[in-house]
Amino acid sequence: CCLCYRYLQPPGTWIQCTLESRELLALCLKKIKASLSKVRLIDAGFIWTEPHSKRLKLKLTVQKEVINGAVLQQVFVVEYIVQSQMCEDCHRIEAKDFWKSVVQVRQKTVHKKTFYYLEQLILKHRLHQNTLRIKEIHDGLDFYYSSKQQAQKMVDFLQCTVPCRSKSSQRLISHDIHSNVYNYKSTFSVEIVPICKDSVVCLSPKLAQSLGNMSQICVCIRVTSTIHLIDPTTLQIAEIDGNTYWRHPFNSLFQPKQLEEFIIMDINRVQEKKKGAGAGARSNKHTLAEAWVRKTSELNTDHQYFCCTHLGHILNPGDLVLGFDLANCNLNDEFANKMNPQHIPDVVLIKKSYDRTRRQRRRNWKLKELERDREGTDTDDERQYQDFLEDLEEDEAIRKNVNIYRNADVPVESDTDDDGPPRISLAEMLEDLHISQDATGGEGASMMT
């Protein structure tokens, strides 16, 4: 095959063979099996040829018993000419509309953080290798496959890695009444929960009570196979899987563009609070603190806000921090409108703010991307991708599921920088190694020197 470099094993099987391999030798010998039926094959081996010459040469040693028990042995060379054609799988890939099944992944949010994380998981587990085409649209991705089994495998993977729900349908394309064969095109629709990292959510009273009497206003600190929430006033944490979310749905109160910058005027770490009745587990990676903050846009005024935050371990007076202003906003949420106003905090702090230009300049690592058809990219997509890269630097739990490669174009600096933003150590990076297949005809060929 001129695209995937596989060899046809009649009648219809395509096998992967590297040059001078045992598999290719067996395939070549089967081509002259009829000629060898009257002699005994003693030895066979390849004679070196230029990999791009489309020629294969075999050195064969045969024996045959002649008159009165005398044995005659002869060595001769057989030359093969490699003919190029296209296998059925590559035909389907080239004809991009020829697909049997499609997986439509959607998430009804403005931010694409979950899709960037999902893209890295697909690359790590190599689930993109069987796709005929990957198409990116406004609110999701479409994966096209040549069989329903491959699409079902992708759906099972998505259900194990992100909180989602799915449904399937199929459309009849053709029907042979003589052989009773039906030809269907299947569609799998996968909807990911509309919650991203750093979202502020308002839980229903019933759900908050079932999670250990948490506060209804929580912050999403991570989205993996479950939604990880933290209560910024008590450090109580909870995990919500996809089934629980769809039984008790809730929405994000703010969009990422509504983040405002605050400056820490004063901050006090709070000692361990006494747990209430039925309270759940608390986070050991965060520190509870009480802070007085002021908007950077209101520095000419004396207006300050008081809030409790879960970021006491990284915040100090004078630091810049991003957060949401609940005191001066109009919350349009079913559960937030029914809450007691005294239980709604004035400000919810999300993450510490660093100099983005400096972070990009010092970033000595990179990620791989899926090859896909794009409708069009804008500056907002680039900003969201930079947000995802910063999340990887700040959250070690997400980094464990992502392959991070060292960028040789950026010089290596010392990792011991306490004042700067979080960084990924060299020990967590992989070398981006490329093995050329031109000189040897394939990875692992015996001609490699």
Side-chain angles (χ1 to χ4, degrees):
C1 176
C2 54
L3 291 182
C4 64
Y5 302 106
R6 293 185 298 175
Y7 291 86
L8 174 63
Q9 184 175 12
T13 306
W14 292 83
I15 58 175
Q16 190 77 39
C17 300
T18 56
L19 287 180
E20 298 195 6
S21 64
R22 299 180 62 175
E23 294 83 1
L24 186 56
L25 179 62
L27 185 63
C28 292
L29 291 176
K30 288 180 181 178
K31 295 285 185 181
I32 55 173
K33 188 175 182 181
S35 303
L36 296 175
S37 60
K38 297 180 180 180
V39 295
R40 185 170 59 175
L41 182 65
I42 300 301
D43 188 26
F46 281 99
I47 299 176
W48 187 87
T49 55
E50 177 66 32
H52 300 288
S53 65
K54 298 288 186 179
R55 298 293 186 274
L56 298 175
K57 289 186 178 182
L58 283 188
K59 182 180 180 181
L60 304 181
T61 304
V62 295
Q63 286 182 352
K64 185 176 182 181
E65 185 176 344
V66 290
I67 304 172
N68 297 328
V71 177
L72 183 67
Q73 180 171 310
Q74 184 180 354
V75 177
F76 61 96
V77 176
V78 180
E79 182 174 336
Y80 297 84
I81 299 176
V82 180
Q83 301 287 348
S84 295
Q85 66 180 78
M86 196 178 292
C87 66
E88 293 182 1
D89 294 336
C90 292
H91 261 298
R92 290 172 179 157
I93 294 175
E94 287 300 301
K96 294 186 177 181
D97 291 332
F98 190 90
W99 52 271
K100 289 291 186 66
S101 188
V102 60
V103 179
Q104 299 174 340
V105 187
R106 300 290 183 267
Q107 187 182 30
K108 298 176 182 178
T109 57
V110 177
H111 210 288
K112 298 181 179 179
K113 283 184 180 180
T114 307
F115 278 109
Y116 291 132
Y117 173 68
L118 193 60
E119 177 185 19
Q120 297 304 316
L121 290 179
I122 293 173
L123 284 168
K124 182 173 183 178
H125 296 279
R126 298 182 179 181
L127 285 174
H128 62 291
Q129 293 181 336
N130 294 327
T131 56
L132 303 180
R133 180 189 181 197
I134 301 176
K135 183 180 179 182
E136 179 179 347
I137 61 173
H138 174 63
D139 57 349
L141 292 171
D142 289 346
F143 298 88
Y144 294 90
Y145 293 92
S146 59
S147 68
K148 185 178 179 180
Q149 290 77 15
Q150 294 173 347
Q152 185 64 57
K153 183 179 178 181
M154 182 65 174
V155 173
D156 295 340
F157 172 78
L158 292 174
Q159 291 176 339
C160 295
T161 52
V162 289
C164 60
R165 62 179 176 182
S166 65
K167 58 183 179 180
S168 62
S169 62
Q170 58 185 14
R171 180 163 56 97
L172 180 64
I173 303 300
S174 61
H175 174 212
D176 187 350
I177 59 174
H178 301 290
S179 60
N180 204 27
V181 173
Y182 293 83
N183 183 18
Y184 289 102
K185 277 192 175 183
S186 303
T187 301
F188 294 87
S189 177
V190 180
E191 183 181 358
I192 303 176
V193 296
I195 305 297
C196 292
K197 184 180 184 298
D198 299 334
S199 296
V200 177
V201 299
C202 183
L203 308 179
S204 64
K206 185 177 180 180
L207 179 59
Q209 184 180 9
S210 65
L211 296 176
N213 291 325
M214 289 183 69
S215 172
Q216 288 184 244
I217 303 292
C218 296
V219 178
C220 177
I221 56 175
R222 193 180 305 117
V223 177
T224 54
S225 57
T226 56
I227 304 173
H228 298 255
L229 299 178
I230 187 170
D231 184 354
T233 59
T234 61
L235 296 188
Q236 189 171 332
I237 56 176
E239 295 183 13
I240 300 177
D241 58 6
N243 293 331
T244 305
Y245 175 84
W246 297 117
R247 285 199 305 269
H248 306 280
F250 52 87
N251 297 315
S252 177
L253 298 180
F254 297 93
Q255 302 295 343
K257 292 182 180 179
Q258 297 174 278
L259 277 170
E260 298 189 60
E261 192 175 55
F262 296 86
I263 185 170
I264 302 294
M265 308 304 295
D266 190 19
I267 188 168
N268 296 314
R269 274 71 177 176
V270 178
Q271 299 300 324
E272 190 72 24
K273 279 188 175 182
K274 186 177 179 181
K275 285 188 177 183
R282 291 184 177 178
S283 174
N284 297 322
K285 297 182 179 180
H286 299 83
T287 302
L288 187 62
E290 296 177 345
W292 287 94
V293 297
R294 181 182 296 179
K295 288 184 182 180
T296 54
S297 60
E298 299 177 354
L299 291 179
N300 55 347
T301 65
D302 295 333
H303 192 191
Q304 295 186 8
Y305 300 91
F306 174 79
C307 64
C308 292
T309 179
H310 59 289
L311 304 176
H313 56 296
I314 57 174
L315 294 182
N316 295 298
D319 287 346
L320 296 178
V321 62
L322 297 176
F324 293 110
D325 181 10
L326 278 74
N328 300 314
C329 71
N330 184 15
L331 291 177
N332 186 16
D333 185 79
E334 175 187 1
F335 305 120
N337 294 335
K338 297 178 181 179
M339 285 182 63
N340 187 343
Q342 296 180 352
H343 295 162
I344 300 178
D346 292 340
V347 172
V348 177
L349 302 182
I350 300 299
K351 59 182 179 180
K352 189 175 179 179
S353 178
Y354 299 98
D355 184 4
R356 171 166 285 186
T357 305
R358 185 187 177 198
R359 295 183 79 164
Q360 293 181 6
R361 188 174 62 250
R362 299 175 58 185
R363 187 171 291 139
N364 58 348
W365 54 275
K366 59 184 179 180
L367 300 175
K368 291 187 176 181
E369 295 185 11
L370 287 173
E371 294 183 4
R372 56 187 183 270
D373 301 335
R374 300 174 184 266
E375 285 189 344
T377 57
D378 51 18
T379 55
D380 193 44
D381 290 344
E382 179 62 28
R383 182 186 62 82
Q384 294 179 13
Y385 187 68
Q386 293 298 327
D387 287 344
F388 173 69
L389 297 182
E390 293 172 3
D391 291 342
L392 286 181
E393 293 175 337
E394 296 169 7
D395 196 340
E396 184 180 355
I398 297 181
R399 287 203 300 269
K400 293 178 181 178
N401 301 326
V402 176
N403 284 343
I404 297 172
Y405 299 91
R406 190 170 73 84
N407 190 357
D409 299 333
V410 180
V412 179
E413 299 181 14
S414 174
D415 293 336
T416 58
D417 187 1
D418 296 334
D419 298 331
R423 302 179 64 188
I424 298 178
S425 63
L426 286 174
E428 298 179 79
M429 301 180 193
L430 302 173
E431 290 287 349
D432 195 7
L433 180 64
H434 295 282
I435 299 177
S436 176
Q437 298 188 4
D438 293 339
T440 63
E443 184 179 350
S446 57
M447 291 167 54
M448 185 179 293
T449 58

